[in-house]
Amino acid sequence: MERKTFKSLTCLELSVILANRSATLYHLERHEYALEDIEEALQLGYPKNLFYKLEERRARCLLGLKRHDEAVKTFRRALQALDDARIPLERKQKFEADIRVMLAVMDKGKQLNETAKNLPRVHGKQKSNAHLEDRFILEKKRNPLYPACSKAVEIKDDGGDVGRHAVAARKITPGEIVIVERPHCTFLLAEYRLTHCHLCFARIFVPMPAACHTCSCVAYCSRRCRDADAQVHSRECKLLPALWHSRASVTCYLALRAITQKPFGETIKLKERLRNPGSASKISAENPYRGDDYANAFYNLVTHEDKRLPEDIFHRAYMAAWLFRLLMASEYLPENVKTTDSADSKLSDEELFIAGLLLHNLQLLQFNSHEISELVRPKGEKTLAKAKSVFIGGGVYPTVAMLNHSCNPGVIRYFIGTTMIVRAVRTIGAGEEISENYGPIFTTMPESERKRKLRVQYWFDCNCEACSGHWPLLDELDPTILRFKCETGPSCGNVLLVRSDTNEFMIGCAKCGKSTNILKGLKALQDTDALFRVASTSLEEGRNEQALKAYLEILKLLDETLSLPIKDYHVCQQGVRLCSLALGNAAYI
């Protein structure tokens, strides 16, 4: 017997498969997923003589979700669908009797239904990301020029090598969410294409096929995501197999996605905008910085084109040419724009423009793309002890891309779907730069290796406080030495090194000559011991939000009197990062 592949299935066959899967999902009490399959089966042309089965199943799913009024209407549609059913009369009568009994019972519970119908509808267990920004940063607290940021963040451009960067407009305390940004574009790694949603990157429980119904390259977590991605997928469907089989880097994927996520007509309109940006490029309250704007945000990210060697330009031009040939083989370019594929043919102006954008994208993505991660832990594990952060895809976040690097970063990032959340992990004073980490961090990597990696990948020499101060690795920090801030404050800026077993409470500063009372700092250390036990216990018991709260309180207490690096402080920062990751994309495998 010939085994059919997904691509060879007809719409009718696929509708029957989905209908059968909905029955399984119903018995598993996965009602929301069953409803998705039922709706999809009906749209694909499920046989009319079997409608009664699907309508009855849909009604029972709605009942399971406490959507009583909708369930009543659907049960009645199931009765009407019996007219087209091709089943024995006796079976038809029994089916009708069962539904009428159900309707009678539900009529008696009408008062309950009136209460239940006002409950919010839930799509699976995955929370909607539609209002993530409002959940973390209320609209009135957002920066009017850079809406992805809170008002605590100011974007500056002082020129020179520093370029655009973020500074604190006021004091920022540990735990504050300072940026919530949706990506300009994303791309899911090939190995996760059937386990994660192609659009939102959520781990899939019940896969939904692509809108074209002939593509087995991607899957979606819901019809909602599938339909939202339908137009982009139609432009990429023929490109994906070649891209994934090529094992090209995420940079190549993103360079292409930045083009294909918009129709050809919209992309060509960029030509005039990029040539004559005018006032449209100036950031103002009327024209805020929007990460989804290719011309004003994505295109203007740093490329370091003037520093590139001929070999580098050749390599990227070669990759751009290959990506462009993929586009030519797809249906992205209109036929009246395409040139014949021969050695003598010259590309049209439109083709040259698209190819130029691909080359530009490849250059800027080297410095401005981010990994999108998921925290994975073994099934049955309540704690995060064996959890690990897994790279599942890449994205471009134009606002976050303006943050400079530090080996002792002021913020961490995690993801809910493809939305990036940026949280402060230490106190950042007003006017101080807000820095993130590009990978090398002082706690785990020696200074020489950090600098080498940053120089190779990002083309700069790091002079952050950890590098300029030659901070040791976390394991090499001496826990018996306490680092107190001089009470004179920033005008002195000296650090008082004190042994943890000292009996002295007034410590003189060799720089300003004044003495500092360290009793307050010692009291803070005692308080943090109790909080650390709370955090550790909460983490072991899987109460990640409570652990996060305790870790953040420790950081705030230590920030008042002690100066970095402090071993316990950075251990707490690691705890904050782990708890934050658990609150974002997470899965058991």
Side-chain angles (χ1 to χ4, degrees):
M1 182 177 178
E2 183 183 356
R3 184 180 178 183
K4 287 202 170 190
T5 63
F6 179 81
K7 287 187 177 182
S8 66
L9 290 174
T10 65
C11 286
L12 177 60
E13 290 171 324
L14 184 56
S15 73
V16 173
I17 290 171
L18 290 169
N20 290 340
R21 189 172 73 174
S22 74
T24 302
L25 292 167
Y26 167 70
H27 288 295
L28 290 172
E29 297 185 2
R30 295 283 188 163
H31 301 122
E32 62 287 333
Y33 292 113
L35 287 173
E36 293 248 322
D37 276 0
I38 290 168
E39 186 62 34
E40 187 71 6
L42 291 172
Q43 289 196 9
L44 286 171
Y46 190 69
K48 193 173 182 180
N49 63 298
L50 298 177
F51 271 22
Y52 73 98
K53 293 170 64 176
L54 280 193
E55 292 293 3
E56 190 259 356
R57 189 176 302 142
R58 173 153 52 184
R60 291 186 181 277
C61 288
L62 291 168
L63 198 57
L65 293 172
K66 301 189 185 303
R67 290 158 59 177
H68 295 78
D69 285 355
E70 292 174 81
V72 168
K73 293 176 183 177
T74 309
F75 273 128
R76 287 173 180 157
R77 284 203 302 271
L79 288 176
Q80 294 172 356
L82 277 175
D83 294 339
D84 298 310
R86 300 173 190 169
I87 55 177
L89 179 61
E90 183 179 346
R91 186 177 165 192
K92 185 181 291 189
Q93 289 173 339
K94 184 180 185 307
F95 187 89
E96 181 178 353
D98 289 344
I99 290 180
R100 293 198 182 282
V101 168
M102 183 64 72
L103 286 171
V105 171
M106 292 179 70
D107 282 341
K108 291 182 180 180
K110 191 171 183 179
Q111 186 176 0
L112 175 63
N113 298 345
E114 287 298 319
T115 303
K117 74 178 181 180
N118 294 320
L119 291 174
R121 297 183 185 181
V122 178
H123 176 76
K125 291 189 176 181
Q126 185 74 23
K127 292 183 179 179
S128 170
N129 292 345
H131 303 290
L132 268 180
E133 291 88 344
D134 288 333
R135 277 174 54 194
F136 292 107
I137 305 175
L138 295 175
E139 186 172 359
K140 64 181 180 181
K141 293 187 177 182
R142 293 182 205 159
N143 185 323
L145 303 182
Y146 296 87
C149 305
S150 77
K151 287 183 178 179
V153 180
E154 184 180 355
I155 303 297
K156 288 191 171 184
D157 187 355
D158 300 328
D161 294 335
V162 177
R164 291 179 295 179
H165 58 285
V167 298
R170 58 163 174 78
K171 179 182 175 181
I172 297 173
T173 58
E176 278 194 58
I177 302 296
V178 292
I179 302 176
V180 178
E181 186 170 25
R182 295 177 183 274
H184 177 84
C185 57
T186 59
F187 206 92
L188 188 68
L189 293 183
E191 54 265 43
Y192 300 103
R193 62 188 178 84
L194 298 180
T195 58
H196 290 69
C197 179
H198 192 61
L199 180 66
C200 74
F201 287 24
R203 190 170 280 269
I204 296 173
F205 176 72
V206 178
M208 185 62 62
C212 57
H213 300 305
T214 61
C215 175
S216 57
C217 287
V218 300
Y220 297 90
C221 66
S222 64
R223 292 176 64 247
R224 180 177 56 200
C225 279
R226 191 273 310 277
D227 293 346
D229 195 48
Q231 290 188 359
V232 175
H233 179 71
S234 69
R235 296 190 282 270
E236 290 183 341
C237 186
K238 294 182 179 179
L239 304 174
L240 294 176
L243 270 174
W244 279 324
H245 283 101
S246 72
R247 298 188 179 276
S249 68
V250 173
T251 299
C252 289
Y253 298 156
L254 291 171
L256 193 62
R257 171 58 66 83
I259 302 295
T260 58
Q261 67 181 2
K262 298 291 184 183
F264 173 80
E266 288 188 33
T267 303
I268 287 299
K269 289 179 182 178
L270 291 171
K271 192 174 183 180
E272 187 61 31
R273 285 187 65 193
L274 296 176
R275 184 182 298 158
N276 301 301
S279 60
S281 63
K282 294 180 180 178
I283 305 302
S284 65
E286 293 73 31
N287 183 40
Y289 187 85
R290 293 190 354 257
D292 61 350
D293 188 332
Y294 182 94
N296 283 355
F298 184 90
Y299 186 84
N300 288 323
L301 294 173
V302 65
T303 63
H304 291 312
E305 186 173 4
D306 58 327
K307 298 179 182 179
R308 294 187 182 275
L309 297 174
E311 294 87 347
D312 181 274
I313 291 290
F314 176 81
H315 170 73
R316 294 181 195 280
Y318 183 88
M319 292 306 298
W322 176 69
L323 292 172
F324 181 71
R325 286 191 67 83
L326 287 181
L327 275 182
M328 289 185 70
S330 73
E331 298 176 1
Y332 184 76
L333 298 172
E335 290 300 324
N336 64 334
V337 169
K338 291 182 182 179
T339 56
T340 55
D341 191 6
S342 67
D344 299 328
S345 299
K346 290 186 177 181
L347 296 178
S348 65
D349 289 344
E350 292 86 353
E351 289 175 310
L352 286 171
F353 176 68
I354 297 292
L357 290 183
L358 286 169
L359 177 57
H360 184 83
N361 294 352
L362 287 170
Q363 293 180 73
L364 71 85
L365 285 165
Q366 176 183 351
F367 310 109
N368 297 289
S369 59
H370 283 87
E371 293 182 354
I372 298 175
S373 62
E374 176 184 69
L375 189 70
V376 174
R377 47 184 157 168
K379 283 184 178 178
E381 283 285 332
K382 287 186 178 181
T383 72
L384 301 177
K386 296 181 180 179
K388 60 179 181 179
S389 183
V390 177
F391 170 34
I392 61 172
V396 183
Y397 299 82
T399 306
V400 179
M402 290 188 279
L403 271 61
N404 285 329
H405 164 85
S406 172
C407 299
N408 175 43
V411 298
I412 56 149
R413 44 187 158 79
Y414 62 100
F415 296 87
I416 298 179
T418 57
T419 300
M420 184 189 290
I421 315 296
V422 179
R423 184 194 294 273
V425 287
R426 61 178 173 85
T427 300
I428 305 172
E432 184 182 346
E433 184 169 359
I434 302 170
S435 56
E436 71 148 327
N437 182 262
Y438 292 1
I441 194 163
F442 92 90
T443 55
T444 58
M445 189 180 294
E447 180 186 336
S448 59
E449 188 177 348
R450 296 198 308 269
K451 287 191 169 185
R452 182 188 63 80
K453 282 182 173 289
L454 292 166
R455 195 177 297 116
V456 169
Q457 176 67 33
Y458 296 101
W459 300 5
F460 70 87
D461 290 310
C462 186
N463 291 306
C464 70
E465 59 179 340
C467 289
S468 59
H470 309 296
W471 289 5
L473 298 175
L474 181 66
D475 291 340
E476 296 173 359
L477 286 171
D478 188 349
T480 66
I481 301 297
L482 304 177
R483 298 168 54 85
F484 287 93
K485 297 176 183 177
C486 176
E487 282 187 348
T488 305
S491 60
C492 174
N494 195 25
V495 177
L496 311 178
L497 302 181
V498 181
R499 291 195 60 83
S500 58
D501 58 356
T502 184
N503 292 320
E504 297 182 29
F505 302 125
M506 297 299 294
I507 307 298
C509 176
K511 184 176 180 180
C512 68
K514 295 185 178 181
S515 294
T516 295
N517 189 334
I518 64 171
L519 272 175
K520 181 181 178 182
L522 293 173
K523 175 65 169 60
L525 285 172
Q526 289 179 341
D527 293 341
T528 59
D529 286 342
L531 282 169
F532 196 83
R533 287 193 294 272
V534 170
S536 300
T537 302
S538 298
L539 202 59
E540 289 172 2
E541 295 176 353
R543 294 182 287 115
N544 301 322
E545 291 191 36
Q546 290 89 330
L548 176 62
K549 185 177 179 181
Y551 281 131
L552 292 172
E553 192 60 35
I554 293 171
L555 296 179
K556 292 173 185 176
L557 285 170
L558 294 180
D559 268 334
E560 291 179 6
T561 55
L562 298 182
S563 180
L564 302 180
I566 307 165
K567 188 167 187 175
D568 287 348
Y569 190 96
H570 299 297
V571 169
C572 284
Q573 284 184 320
Q574 292 175 349
V576 170
R577 179 178 179 273
L578 190 58
C579 292
S580 296
L581 288 172
L583 297 175
N585 295 341
Y588 291 94
I589 59 171

